[in-house]
């Protein structure tokens, strides 16, 4: 069966590359994923993979979901990827135009090839191969291509979770998030991302008479210094060291204050971004911020501030390194190209964080594409890696769920 899987993918190599190129040519910016969703669905059905459709939170917000059904009861394997891509910035700077889908030296160039059309579509193409070969499995395989991931997933993964499309129904349920790990690493630990706005409240006045006002910007300077001190504290805390991910951090990422050059500013907003380790909570972060505000107010009664958390918190998560899916991918990777799987952590969040945190389904991150090219004008993916990813995903399903002839 391993040989049949590999041969089946190779037999469709040119067709898969052609289909992949067509999908890369779609300008699927966030909120504009309809074209790529339709092209994906039409292409899957044209290749005999019919169990596919769209789930929408609102019209025009497509989440493509496809299934390969097993012949016996068993767990569900959920593949996860997203359809939206980040803006291409100044297209004149690109040697290969971001949506031309140029192929050169075995690489396909374009916006979204790394983040993350290569991973998303290689998983769906794995569904085509499973369907072609009619591989008997226990359980079902679910393929998801969601919208909205780049702006925290309210219409995408969070909706699928909220409505129960993705949920744990079997003790052995598992998944793979297909974000880029260069097809050699697996992220089993991921930092959380928690953002808040802290609004400093002052008192406006004509700035020729500043003594009649309270400058919110001057007060914000004290808060910025305190946030920097908090960063030094949490990033060097010997009791919070993780073997796979960098130290925790907190940073003032944006500042918005003042309305005119001749007015004492009555408000100043700081956007603060916190990167958490597995095991930390938003409540702990909020307490840190409130403690700072309380201390500054005690030192200066004119200091007043309010905290407003952002929606879309990505929780920090960790997957057991000994989870069966980890070994299945390791075995498949070794079989396909002889590479040893390295277990690593991720600095940025993915939709897998929501799945793991809300359902308990182990969903490590493993996919084609060099994450260092993400968002650059040189974004591209090796077509060999794209094809290998399809093989690895099918083999991983077979190793986890396949019914062998001997049985």
């Amino acid at each position: 069966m391993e040989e049949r899987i590999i041969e089946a993918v190779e037999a469709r190599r040119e067709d898969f590359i052609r289909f992949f190129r067509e999908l890369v040519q779609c300008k699927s910016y966030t909120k504009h994923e309809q074209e790529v969703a339709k092209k994906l669905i039409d292409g899957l059905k044209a290749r005999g993979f019919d169990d596919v459709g769209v789930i929408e939170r609102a019209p025009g917000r497509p989440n493509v979901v496809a299934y390969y059904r097993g012949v016996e009861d068993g767990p569900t394997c959920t593949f996860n990827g997203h359809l939206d891509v980040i803006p291409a910035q100044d297209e004149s700077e690109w040697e290969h135009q971001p949506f031309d889908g140029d192929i050169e030296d075995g690489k396909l160039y374009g916006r979204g090839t790394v983040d993350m059309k290569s991973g998303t579509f290689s998983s769906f193409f794995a569904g085509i191969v499973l369907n072609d070969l009619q591989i008997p499995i226990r359980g079902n395989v679910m393929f998801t291509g969601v919208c909205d991931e780049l702006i925290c997933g309210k219409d995408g993964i969070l909706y699928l979770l909220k409505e129960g499309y993705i949920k744990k129904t079997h003790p052995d349920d598992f998944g793979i998030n297909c974000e880029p790990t260069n097809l050699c690493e697996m992220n089993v630990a991921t930092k959380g991302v928690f953002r808040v706005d802290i609004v400093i409240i002052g008192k406006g006045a004509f700035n020729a008479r500043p003594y009649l006002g309270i400058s919110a910007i001057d007060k914000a300077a004290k808060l910025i210094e305190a946030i920097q001190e908090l960063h030094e504290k949490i990033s060097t805390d010997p009791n919070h060291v993780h073997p796979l991910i960098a130290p925790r951090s907190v940073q003032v990422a944006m500042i918005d204050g003042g309305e005119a050059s001749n007015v004492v500013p009555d408000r100043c907003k700081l956007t603060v971004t916190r990167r958490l380790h597995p095991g930390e909570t938003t409540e702990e972060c909020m307490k840190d911020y409130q403690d700072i505000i309380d201390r500054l107010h005690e030192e200066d009664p004119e200091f007043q501030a309010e905290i407003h958390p952002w929606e879309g918190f990505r929780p920090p998560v960790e997957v057991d390194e000994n989870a069966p899916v980890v070994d299945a991918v390791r075995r498949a990777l070794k079989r396909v190209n002889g590479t040893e799987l390295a277990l690593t952590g991720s600095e940025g969040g993915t939709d897998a964080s929501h799945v793991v945190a809300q359902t308990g389904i182990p969903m490590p991150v493993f996919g084609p594409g060099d994450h260092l090219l993400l968002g650059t004008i040189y974004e591209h993916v090796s077509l060999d890696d794209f094809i290998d990813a399809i093989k690895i995903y099918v083999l991983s399903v077979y190793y986890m769920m396949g019914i062998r002839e001997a049985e």
Side-chain angles (χ1 to χ4, degrees):
M1 180 58 74
E2 290 171 315
E3 287 299 326
R4 288 181 62 200
I5 288 169
I6 291 171
E7 290 171 2
V9 176
E10 285 297 329
R12 280 195 176 267
R13 172 184 281 265
E14 296 307 316
D15 176 50
F16 281 157
I17 291 173
R18 183 168 54 252
F19 188 16
F20 178 36
R21 183 170 181 262
E22 292 173 1
L23 294 164
V24 168
Q25 290 170 329
C26 296
K27 291 188 177 183
S28 55
Y29 297 133
T30 306
K31 304 294 184 183
H32 299 278
E33 302 96 341
Q34 299 94 322
E35 179 190 6
V36 75
K38 183 179 186 305
K39 191 176 289 290
L40 174 61
I41 291 170
D42 290 347
L44 293 173
K45 290 183 176 180
R47 290 162 176 81
F49 191 21
D50 294 320
D51 197 348
V52 57
V54 170
I55 296 169
E56 295 181 324
R57 177 178 178 270
R61 309 302 304 120
N63 298 293
V64 179
V65 177
Y67 293 92
Y68 179 70
R69 315 277 182 177
V71 297
E72 295 182 9
D73 291 338
T76 295
C77 166
T78 302
F79 283 95
N80 173 241
H82 61 85
L83 303 175
D84 52 336
V85 302
I86 64 174
Q89 294 96 29
D90 186 353
E91 297 188 14
S92 66
E93 296 182 356
W94 292 66
E95 179 180 353
H96 299 276
Q97 287 300 292
F99 297 102
D100 283 358
D102 290 347
I103 295 177
E104 184 178 294
D105 296 330
K107 303 168 184 175
L108 194 152
Y109 288 80
R111 173 57 84 228
T113 50
V114 173
D115 186 24
M116 60 166 297
K117 289 183 174 180
S118 56
T120 301
F121 299 136
S122 59
S123 69
F124 277 95
F125 293 6
I128 295 174
V129 176
L130 286 165
N131 188 64
D132 280 350
L133 297 177
Q134 286 296 296
I135 298 174
I137 63 170
R138 296 185 180 89
N140 301 302
V141 185
M142 180 183 187
F143 305 89
T144 62
V146 302
C147 65
D148 217 30
E149 191 270 351
L150 295 169
I151 56 171
C152 298
K154 183 177 180 180
D155 290 341
I157 195 69
L158 293 177
Y159 181 69
L160 296 184
L161 287 164
K162 178 182 177 183
E163 297 300 316
Y165 292 103
I166 299 175
K167 60 183 178 181
K168 189 166 186 176
T169 58
H170 188 283
D172 296 328
D173 284 349
F174 67 99
I176 298 174
N177 176 281
C178 307
E179 291 273 11
T181 63
N182 222 10
L183 215 64
C184 62
E185 299 179 6
M186 174 177 278
N187 297 155
V188 294
T190 303
K191 280 186 177 181
V193 186
F194 180 51
R195 297 178 177 90
V196 302
D197 290 332
I198 303 180
V199 179
I200 300 90
I201 303 166
K203 180 181 178 182
F206 180 42
N207 74 356
R209 294 186 289 271
Y211 50 83
L212 296 179
I214 298 172
S215 171
I217 290 178
D218 287 350
K219 303 302 181 186
K222 298 180 180 181
L223 181 58
I224 291 172
E225 183 177 353
I227 295 293
Q228 291 172 330
E229 291 171 355
L230 176 61
H231 169 76
E232 290 300 317
K233 176 183 175 182
I234 66 174
S235 64
T236 60
D237 185 350
N239 296 317
H240 279 274
V241 176
H242 196 285
L244 297 179
I245 47 182
R248 304 174 298 163
S249 65
V250 59
Q251 180 187 46
V252 176
M254 294 189 290
I255 302 175
D256 180 16
E259 56 182 336
S261 64
N262 60 350
V263 175
V264 175
D266 64 349
R267 282 180 177 260
C268 183
K269 182 176 72 174
L270 306 181
T271 298
V272 181
T273 301
R274 182 92 168 244
R275 303 280 173 167
L276 295 73
H277 275 184
E280 289 188 276
T281 67
T282 57
E283 289 78 13
E284 292 172 303
C285 298
M286 290 288 285
K287 184 178 185 304
D288 284 343
Y289 301 148
Q290 191 61 55
D291 286 347
I292 290 173
I293 290 171
D294 292 345
R295 174 174 60 81
L296 292 177
H297 177 70
E298 184 177 346
E299 296 171 357
D300 175 7
E302 290 186 338
F303 183 91
Q304 303 285 339
E306 302 170 345
I307 311 170
H308 302 279
W310 283 31
E311 294 183 355
F313 166 60
R314 289 187 188 273
V317 296
E318 195 162 15
V319 173
D320 186 351
E321 296 181 13
N322 296 313
V325 62
V326 176
D327 189 62
V329 173
R330 177 185 288 114
R331 181 180 171 190
L333 176 65
K334 183 74 171 179
R335 178 67 179 81
V336 169
N337 61 23
T339 302
E340 296 290 345
L341 182 67
L343 300 185
T344 60
S346 173
E347 300 299 293
T350 71
D351 278 348
S353 298
H354 295 302
V355 175
V356 175
Q358 293 192 33
T359 70
I361 296 171
M363 181 180 276
V365 179
F366 175 84
D370 182 351
H371 69 276
L372 296 178
L373 295 172
L374 187 158
T376 72
I377 62 173
Y378 313 103
E379 188 173 358
H380 66 268
V381 68
S382 160
L383 289 172
D384 282 343
D385 283 355
F386 175 73
I387 295 297
D388 280 354
I390 302 171
K391 298 173 184 176
I392 292 166
Y393 290 153
V394 180
L395 284 168
S396 297
V397 170
Y398 175 64
Y399 294 151
M400 290 290 292
M401 309 167 76
I403 300 173
R404 277 59 165 181
E405 292 183 5
E407 298 179 39

